[in-house]
Amino acid sequence: MLRYLRAVLALLITSALVWLLNTNHGEIPAFGKFLSPFEGFWRNGEAPDDLASEQTLKLPGLQQAVTVRFDDHRVPHIFAQNDHDLYFAQGYFTARDRLWQMEFQTHVAAGRISEIVGARALEYDRFQRRMGLPHGAEKSLAVMMSEPTTRTVLEAYTAGVNAYIGALSPRDYPLEYKLLNYAPEPWKPLKCALLLQLMAWDLSGRSDDLRLSNALGKYGPAVMRDLFPDYPTREDPIVPVGTKLDYTPLAVPPVPAAFAAGASDKVPQNEPDADLGSNNFALGGSRTASGLPILANDPHLQLNLPSIWYQLQLVAPGVNVYGVTIPGAPTIIIGFNQSVAWGVTNVGGDVLDWYQLKFKDNTKREYWHAGQWKPVRRVVERIKVRGLPDRLDTVLYTHHGPIVYDHDEKPFNAQTPVRHAMRWTAHEGGNEVLTFYRLNRAQNYQDYAAALSTYAAPAQNFIFASNQNDVAIWPNGKFPLKWPDQGKFILDGSNPAHDWQGWIPQTQNPHVKNPERGFVSSANQFPAGPDYPYYLGWNFASYERGHRINTRLGQMQRATPDSLRRLQTDNLNLNAQLMLPRLLALVQPAQLTPAQRQAYDELRRWNYFYDAHVAAPSIFDLWYNQLVERLWEDDFNSKVTQLEMRYPPRDRTNNLILKEDTSRWIDDRRTPQRETLPQLALQAFQFATDSLTRKFGPLGSNWNWANQKSTDIMHLARLPGFGRMDVDCGGGAAIVNATTERNGPSWRMVVALGPQPKAYGVFPGGQSGNPGSAYYDDLLETWRVGQLNELIYLTSAAQAHPRVQATWQLHQAK
């Protein structure tokens, strides 16, 4: 009897375990499939030689044969006989390497993460939808699908992605699907638009309108003009001051009467990182050894695995282009062909404004504008939540745009403007895919300029070089035609004079071709100087990166690609070079303990380079930032003032430290005594050295900058164990090598134009999105030490090359 009881008990336990492992429990996914030896994560292991050297695939939807060559980094070089098959194959092979990444990011943009992880992502999904990302994607898609070329591109790319998805069984799913227990869904052209919308949010979704309006209400216009000026004292704009205009400017709208916005403790703190930026630069042939231009680009974005970029070469009649794209987006975004090269950096202009609204009553069905009550449009969003019933969320729209939140809620919207409508260029609709399609095929400057005409958002500094010896740069995108400072503060949603009054003509965006200095560059600084006729914004990246780049380019003669590679990894911190002598002079060494004096002497010997294995950057970085905090905390920190504001920009802060010893802002108004600048500098220095001592012990190699900065390249979904922590590298914010704790050069590229282009590049990761693949992060070490790989640019499908390791043939399935 006992024997049968044990058997029944074992059967019950086994049945319960099978049920437990194969059933979702609320937000907790079932782990049975993940652990299964037949279709679980064991199936995702991959050896370096797993890629077949020869293979033939029969794929439904192809029109003609396609040849794909793979090099030693598993970059696909796609040779097609028509556009449809070219982008079909791009979609197929991108999905083969990066399916989970490309789909997950579109779920992020669409506000659909709750479908995967459950209720804990609900407020995030609501935020994405209320910011209008799906709305903007739909408008852009309508524009792109109405144009025959981009319709072909999007539909072919979509068909290629779906050809790969359709051939998968659950055992073949990427690891993350198994871990989170869900399946890929069919790709749609809308997903390509969502991906571009997410990039627009990352690069143009920041706004200080509400913070500055709060400061204006507290301190008045004179203080705002002093502390938040429209143009800094140190600047080296992208288009040099004095560049002759080749157009007649439009009349700028008149400045209306001042509007006093109500104070708000709700500001958009769920914003993209302010450190996101980039560098690009191009030398004309007069400064190069070859006599032809060399172009470089390194976009600074959040460093993730899988890598944000995907390399490939696309060849078809009329196009032979190599570069990188974002998985899920067709064409090449940054790259080169036989005649030209191009790259992008972020503009960061003021293209997102907030409008204070006046509702007729608490029903919020009408708002006051232009002397009349106008209807509010209501859009019901259905949000699927894993393990729970669907949630319905009503988003209100005015002619300005969405009212992101219309009453106090929590948690996300506790940090988002309440009863304000948002106007954003990413909601306007553009055809970015057509821009890149044309750039991929450009042969000269005229083709490049024409390609930019359909580009809307996010605004980018498009740099260009050609083998006709032209170099150019064009800060480009859709910019509203504004009166000076329009959108610097909250706008009056009831006054039509505060509406956007049209657009700056694209041909009148700042631009320069073949300047006398022999180079063009950008590093997110002001697009143009005070002589530019239109208002694009008041706050751009501080001047240090751009000025350092221009200084070094101006010194180059007979430059080679390696000259530009070395510039990309330059670690000189101009802010330290400017400010450290002043900070050292403010502190008397006699006031320091012996341990603090050691740190002081370390700084005195320093050359201002943020190299990985030097302690001085750790000391200066903490010291300077702590001094800035002590200067402004009592006057602008929300925890002290109970009002959300921002600190004055670096240029204004530095001028105060350098020149204004008796400024009213030095005193901490929370204390009875009057503080002096030397006192604040000493306190900040002591704080910095004490903090480093507590963290690392006495001054030594543990204080090195790489340890203090601690660059982490995390998995896109923050899955532990799938990222690379504490990457040993130098650089930092406002440095040419802008590698910070989480952001940095996401792709480094240098292209030398000539009869045949020679190009070099690397990103911090690998071609594969599979953590079990040798190609997941095989490029990381090359990136870490600042080197580049030669990029293989094939001119025919049959061209022999020692680094080509596989050739696949694609045919139409009968």
Side-chain angles (χ1 to χ4, degrees):
M1 184 66 182
L2 184 59
R3 183 176 59 189
Y4 293 116
L5 184 60
R6 287 175 178 170
V8 170
L9 186 59
L11 180 61
L12 289 173
I13 292 173
T14 301
S15 300
L17 188 60
V18 169
W19 175 84
L20 184 68
L21 290 174
N22 289 279
T23 305
N24 293 329
H25 302 278
E27 297 179 7
I28 302 173
F31 277 91
K33 294 178 182 178
F34 179 69
L35 298 173
S36 167
F38 304 105
E39 59 182 46
F41 77 97
W42 316 97
R43 304 289 308 178
N44 294 96
E46 182 184 294
D49 57 356
D50 276 358
L51 185 71
S53 60
E54 293 185 6
Q55 186 162 330
T56 299
L57 299 177
K58 294 188 179 298
L59 302 176
L62 276 180
Q63 296 176 355
Q64 294 175 282
V66 175
T67 299
V68 183
R69 314 280 303 281
F70 293 92
D71 65 32
D72 52 353
H73 292 300
R74 216 163 84 173
V75 175
H77 304 254
I78 300 172
F79 292 81
Q81 300 178 58
N82 58 73
D83 273 3
H84 173 276
D85 289 352
L86 184 68
Y87 297 108
F88 180 102
Q90 182 185 6
Y92 181 90
F93 283 101
T94 306
R96 184 179 181 276
D97 282 327
R98 303 287 191 91
L99 176 60
W100 176 81
Q101 175 190 11
M102 55 197 282
E103 190 185 46
F104 182 78
Q105 290 185 135
T106 63
H107 274 70
V108 170
R112 295 180 55 199
I113 300 300
S114 298
E115 296 179 28
I116 301 170
V117 302
R120 66 178 181 270
L122 178 59
E123 290 303 321
Y124 182 86
D125 287 347
R126 293 183 67 214
F127 180 83
Q128 296 295 86
R129 298 184 189 212
R130 285 174 167 267
M131 290 296 290
L133 269 70
H135 164 72
E138 288 168 357
K139 293 194 73 171
S140 290
L141 181 65
V143 173
M144 292 188 288
M145 295 298 279
S146 68
E147 205 286 329
T149 297
T150 46
R151 184 184 187 95
T152 295
V153 171
L154 291 170
E155 290 180 342
Y157 187 90
T158 296
V161 175
N162 286 331
Y164 179 73
I165 294 174
L168 292 178
S169 64
R171 63 186 290 174
D172 303 317
Y173 289 169
L175 177 68
E176 292 87 350
Y177 288 108
K178 297 175 182 179
L179 185 60
L180 298 171
N181 193 26
Y182 75 110
E185 64 184 18
W187 193 263
K188 298 178 181 178
L190 177 63
K191 288 179 176 284
C192 299
L194 282 165
L195 193 69
L196 295 171
Q197 193 77 185
L198 185 63
M199 184 59 69
W201 170 247
D202 282 343
L203 296 176
S204 66
R206 289 190 62 83
S207 168
D208 281 316
D209 307 13
L210 288 104
R211 298 183 184 97
L212 289 177
S213 288
N214 286 342
L216 175 65
K218 184 174 178 64
Y219 294 116
V223 166
M224 297 306 292
R225 285 192 296 270
D226 175 31
L227 296 186
F228 300 91
D230 288 343
Y231 196 80
T233 57
R234 298 171 193 83
E235 186 53 291
D236 198 342
I238 295 169
V239 175
V241 174
T243 298
K244 187 177 180 180
L245 301 182
D246 57 2
Y247 54 85
T248 301
L250 301 180
V252 173
V255 179
F259 170 65
S264 174
D265 63 346
K266 310 292 193 298
V267 297
Q269 292 182 346
N270 184 42
E271 292 178 306
D273 197 314
D275 285 343
L276 298 183
S278 303
N279 305 321
N280 59 23
F281 33 94
L283 282 173
S286 63
R287 291 186 176 273
T288 69
S290 70
L292 288 169
I294 307 174
L295 178 145
N297 191 194
D298 53 298
H300 307 153
L301 299 168
Q302 191 173 89
L303 302 178
N304 291 316
L305 288 172
S307 295
I308 189 172
W309 300 106
Y310 183 72
Q311 290 185 66
L312 70 168
Q313 182 178 3
L314 300 175
V315 187
V319 62
N320 184 350
V321 62
Y322 187 111
V324 291
T325 190
I326 300 168
T331 73
I332 296 295
I333 292 177
I334 298 171
F336 63 95
N337 61 32
Q338 290 170 308
S339 301
V340 310
W342 74 95
V344 295
T345 67
N346 194 39
V347 172
D350 187 1
V351 296
L352 190 159
D353 290 338
W354 296 96
Y355 287 85
Q356 184 173 302
L357 299 176
K358 178 182 177 182
F359 290 112
K360 185 174 184 178
D361 52 41
N362 288 335
T363 65
K364 300 181 183 66
R365 293 187 177 275
E366 294 178 282
Y367 68 104
W368 186 253
H369 179 261
Q372 59 182 306
W373 295 108
K374 294 186 175 180
V376 172
R377 184 166 63 92
R378 309 171 82 84
V379 175
V380 177
E381 295 280 354
R382 179 179 293 273
I383 304 175
K384 296 182 182 297
V385 184
R386 186 170 195 161
L388 294 172
D390 294 355
R391 279 287 302 270
L392 301 180
D393 192 29
T394 302
V395 184
L396 311 183
Y397 281 82
T398 68
H399 76 285
H400 302 294
I403 303 168
V404 179
Y405 285 97
D406 50 20
H407 57 281
D408 295 318
E409 299 178 63
K410 61 182 183 180
F412 259 112
N413 38 350
Q415 300 174 338
T416 304
V418 175
R419 302 173 191 90
H420 293 84
M422 182 182 74
R423 183 79 189 267
W424 184 29
T425 53
H427 290 163
E428 301 297 323
N431 197 338
E432 290 76 25
V433 170
L434 186 58
T435 293
F436 293 116
Y437 178 91
R438 290 172 170 172
L439 282 174
N440 290 187
R441 291 158 174 76
Q443 297 299 304
N444 50 46
Y445 175 82
Q446 290 72 27
D447 292 344
Y448 151 79
L452 302 185
S453 63
T454 64
Y455 189 89
Q460 298 288 289
N461 300 303
F462 283 84
I463 199 166
F464 170 84
S466 76
N467 59 12
Q468 290 103 37
N469 233 327
D470 288 325
V471 295
I473 194 163
W474 205 308
N476 187 63
K478 208 165 186 180
F479 297 110
L481 182 64
K482 294 184 172 185
W483 33 268
D485 282 349
Q486 183 178 359
K488 185 174 183 178
F489 307 98
I490 295 174
L491 297 170
D492 183 357
S494 64
N495 185 350
H498 284 234
D499 289 5
W500 288 0
Q501 308 293 317
W503 304 96
I504 298 172
Q506 187 273 328
T507 56
Q508 298 185 17
N509 289 342
H511 58 278
V512 63
K513 177 187 177 187
N514 298 329
E516 290 184 9
R517 63 188 185 181
F519 63 85
V520 291
S521 74
S522 72
N524 317 112
Q525 72 269 47
F526 272 75
D531 55 344
Y532 180 65
Y534 300 116
Y535 175 74
L536 296 177
W538 73 276
N539 187 40
F540 294 84
S542 57
Y543 91 112
E544 291 90 358
R545 272 189 298 122
H547 187 65
R548 174 61 173 168
I549 289 169
N550 288 347
T551 299
R552 286 198 57 181
L553 292 175
Q555 296 167 345
M556 290 185 184
Q557 300 294 333
R558 297 191 60 77
T560 66
D562 200 57
S563 306
L564 273 64
R565 178 197 65 81
R566 292 197 303 270
L567 176 51
Q568 287 181 326
T569 57
D570 186 288
N571 285 334
L572 180 66
N573 187 325
L574 291 190
N575 190 55
Q577 191 177 62
L578 174 70
M579 299 305 298
L580 182 58
R582 172 62 167 163
L583 268 59
L584 290 171
L586 287 170
V587 171
Q588 300 303 313
Q591 300 172 291
L592 304 176
T593 66
Q596 292 166 353
R597 179 62 188 264
Q598 277 188 292
Y600 184 90
D601 290 341
E602 184 81 14
L603 288 173
R604 290 178 60 190
R605 296 188 293 266
W606 182 38
N607 63 1
Y608 312 115
F609 281 80
Y610 267 48
D611 294 332
H613 301 139
V614 179
S618 303
I619 306 168
F620 173 77
D621 214 67
L622 267 177
W623 185 11
Y624 175 81
N625 289 327
Q626 181 60 206
L627 177 58
V628 171
E629 187 68 23
R630 289 171 187 268
L631 275 173
W632 300 123
E633 180 183 31
D634 60 315
D635 299 299
F636 291 95
N637 189 295
S638 61
K639 294 179 181 177
V640 177
T641 63
Q642 306 304 310
L643 198 62
E644 287 284 354
M645 293 183 282
R646 61 155 286 172
Y647 290 179
R650 174 180 285 180
D651 183 74
R652 183 63 187 89
T653 299
N654 285 350
N655 284 340
L656 187 154
I657 295 171
L658 291 169
K659 304 174 183 177
E660 301 176 28
D661 290 26
T662 60
S663 169
R664 60 176 272 200
W665 305 105
I666 294 172
D667 179 48
D668 189 336
R669 60 187 181 84
R670 297 168 295 183
T671 65
Q673 68 272 19
R674 184 175 182 84
E675 283 76 17
T676 66
L677 194 57
Q679 286 175 335
L680 295 186
L682 176 61
Q683 293 167 6
F685 182 79
Q686 291 169 335
F687 174 91
T689 55
D690 290 350
S691 297
L692 290 167
T693 301
R694 286 193 300 270
K695 185 175 182 179
F696 298 117
L699 175 61
S701 61
N702 284 345
W703 286 35
N704 285 351
W705 176 235
N707 297 333
Q708 171 68 1
K709 175 165 67 80
S710 184
T711 296
D712 292 337
I713 303 178
M714 301 178 70
H715 185 270
L716 182 62
R718 303 297 187 269
L719 298 178
F722 295 154
R724 299 296 179 263
M725 305 294 106
D726 299 319
V727 178
D728 186 3
C729 58
I735 297 170
V736 178
N737 178 16
T739 309
T740 64
E741 293 87 342
R742 288 287 295 114
N743 303 321
S746 57
W747 163 246
R748 291 190 181 116
M749 180 186 76
V750 177
V751 182
L753 276 303
Q756 287 297 322
K758 293 282 286 185
Y760 309 84
V762 73
F763 52 61
Q767 283 289 95
S768 177
N770 177 10
S773 169
Y775 298 97
Y776 181 65
D777 61 357
D778 60 309
L779 305 177
L780 177 56
E781 181 61 16
T782 302
W783 176 90
R784 185 189 72 80
V785 299
Q787 295 298 316
L788 302 174
N789 296 316
E790 183 173 353
L791 306 179
I792 300 171
Y793 184 72
L794 301 178
T795 55
S796 74
Q799 180 183 341
H801 196 288
R803 287 176 52 196
V804 171
Q805 297 185 340
T807 301
W808 288 18
Q809 303 294 335
L810 278 55
H811 297 282
Q812 183 180 17
K814 300 297 184 182

